[in-house]
Amino acid sequence: MARRKFDDWLKTLRASISSYKYYTDFEKVYANVDNIKKELFLLYSLIGSKDIEKDFRELVTEYPKCLNAIPILIAIRDKKIFCEDEKGKIIYRFDEKVQTLDQYVYFMRETGLFGMLVKPQRSSLYDYVTGVEVGMDSHSRKGRSGKKMEYLVESFIKATGKEYYYQMTLSQIKRKWHMDFSAITPRKKFDFVVKTDSCVYAIEVNFYNNDGSKQIETARSYMMLAEESKSINNFKFVWITDGGGWLKSRNSLEEAFNVLDDLYNIADMEHGILKKIFV
């Protein structure tokens, strides 16, 4: 195979593989809000209260399950929330009523939730939490991009007809095929492992929409892994990456490109590279 030119290869990187749901997964947003809809309507009864601490105590006493909806009001999914001030430390529980009413009142007061609820212009807690969920879901975009790349790579691996595994550790590979990995720095997992008659291919997959230090660290780590892998018989490390985020980190990618024998992108897969290397 003729040696590829990095500049030509770099031009084939994709700016994005984002689907429409990459930006906000509204099905997930509405499902999360609907799960606590009853609790939100109960808490909504406090809107515009003239004595919100008293009304809150009565509400929690009669309907303790309304506590379940409090964390999301401050954009927290966890039902256990740690707080600390000059009065001490406490882990609040909102999945069940374990604190005293005084403690819950203190939490609501100090976090500013009473102040938010007491304002009569707050028309709907359901709409408010929907907005919170949309904001929180935006932080999941990086994960969705990574998963999208994994699904894409998996479709190309399936097309080769080779035996493959998802999320496999070195220990699992060692036990299954009796390989010696003493030369490799311990790793958590490989995204995919492909087994052919003559070789085991360990594959890492990622896609970078934005530039950052993560790419540089990843490139260095994979170059080390590729070098360590050379001493292992019937084993190869394959890195499949893409994304416009590499453009500002091109020096690190070029260094890896010149070191790794098996560094590919989406365009390479579309041209059948996996069928050529999995022998």
Side-chain angles (χ1 to χ4, degrees):
M1 185 184 299
R3 184 66 182 177
R4 300 175 297 170
K5 295 181 179 179
F6 176 75
D7 287 339
D8 293 338
W9 183 79
L10 188 70
K11 292 176 183 176
T12 65
L13 295 183
R14 307 288 175 86
S16 174
I17 52 170
S18 303
S19 64
Y20 291 100
K21 286 188 177 181
Y22 164 77
Y23 298 98
T24 299
D25 186 346
F26 280 104
E27 290 181 7
K28 175 185 171 185
V29 165
Y30 289 126
N32 288 343
V33 181
D34 285 342
N35 282 338
I36 54 171
K37 182 165 60 175
K38 292 180 180 178
E39 291 88 339
L40 289 174
F41 287 149
L42 287 169
L43 289 172
Y44 178 70
S45 66
L46 298 173
I47 298 293
S49 171
K50 300 302 182 182
D51 191 346
I52 195 166
E53 292 193 11
K54 173 179 174 292
D55 292 341
F56 176 77
R57 289 173 184 272
E58 292 176 354
L59 180 65
V60 173
T61 299
E62 189 170 358
Y63 303 105
K65 284 189 176 181
C66 69
L67 292 170
N68 190 52
I70 288 177
I72 196 62
L73 298 181
I74 54 173
I76 300 293
R77 294 201 192 281
D78 200 341
K79 301 303 181 184
K80 297 180 183 179
I81 299 179
F82 173 84
C83 290
E84 179 180 5
D85 63 8
E86 68 279 359
K87 293 186 177 182
K89 305 175 183 178
I90 187 169
I91 298 177
Y92 288 91
R93 290 286 298 272
F94 294 95
D95 53 345
E96 56 181 315
K97 185 176 176 294
V98 297
Q99 265 80 40
T100 66
L101 276 174
D102 285 341
Q103 288 174 317
Y104 285 121
V105 166
Y106 188 77
F107 178 90
M108 297 291 289
R109 185 192 309 130
E110 294 303 306
T111 57
L113 282 175
F114 277 156
M116 183 271 287
L117 291 170
V118 79
K119 294 182 179 179
Q121 64 265 33
R122 179 69 60 196
S123 60
S124 168
L125 280 186
Y126 186 95
D127 291 342
Y128 168 82
V129 172
T130 299
V132 171
E133 283 285 351
V134 169
M136 294 175 70
D137 187 70
S138 67
H139 294 294
S140 302
R141 290 175 184 169
K142 182 178 179 181
R144 284 198 287 272
S145 179
K147 286 297 181 183
K148 178 73 173 177
M149 185 65 170
E150 287 182 8
Y151 296 148
L152 183 61
V153 172
E154 185 172 17
S155 69
F156 284 103
I157 292 175
K158 282 182 178 179
T160 68
K162 301 299 183 180
E163 175 186 354
Y164 79 95
Y165 302 83
Y166 177 68
Q167 293 289 320
M168 204 171 191
T169 65
L170 278 176
S171 297
Q172 290 172 324
I173 298 172
K174 179 180 179 179
R175 287 196 300 268
K176 191 169 185 65
W177 294 295
H178 309 290
M179 306 189 79
D180 180 9
F181 292 115
S182 57
I184 293 183
T185 304
R187 304 185 60 78
K188 292 181 179 179
K189 290 180 180 179
F190 290 103
D191 293 318
F192 297 97
V193 172
V194 173
K195 177 66 171 69
T196 68
D197 292 339
S198 59
C199 190
V200 173
Y201 298 85
I203 305 168
E204 287 282 14
V205 173
N206 41 52
F207 189 98
Y208 293 106
N209 287 302
N210 304 306
D211 63 292
S213 59
K214 179 64 176 178
Q215 289 96 301
I216 298 173
E217 296 172 8
T218 299
R220 289 173 180 168
S221 172
Y222 290 173
M223 283 190 289
M224 180 184 297
L225 178 57
E227 185 62 32
E228 293 171 342
S229 300
K230 290 179 180 179
S231 64
I232 302 173
N233 294 328
N234 306 318
F235 179 84
K236 282 190 175 183
F237 171 63
V238 178
W239 181 17
I240 302 174
T241 191
D242 214 306
W246 278 114
L247 297 181
K248 288 189 177 180
S249 302
R250 59 164 290 158
N251 290 341
S252 295
L253 186 60
E254 183 173 12
E255 186 179 359
F257 183 87
N258 292 328
V259 171
L260 273 68
D261 294 328
D262 295 287
L263 170 55
Y264 307 109
N265 61 16
I266 295 172
D268 292 323
M269 292 190 295
E270 290 176 339
H271 287 94
I273 191 62
L274 298 188
K275 289 183 179 180
K276 295 176 183 177
I277 66 172
F278 293 157
V279 295

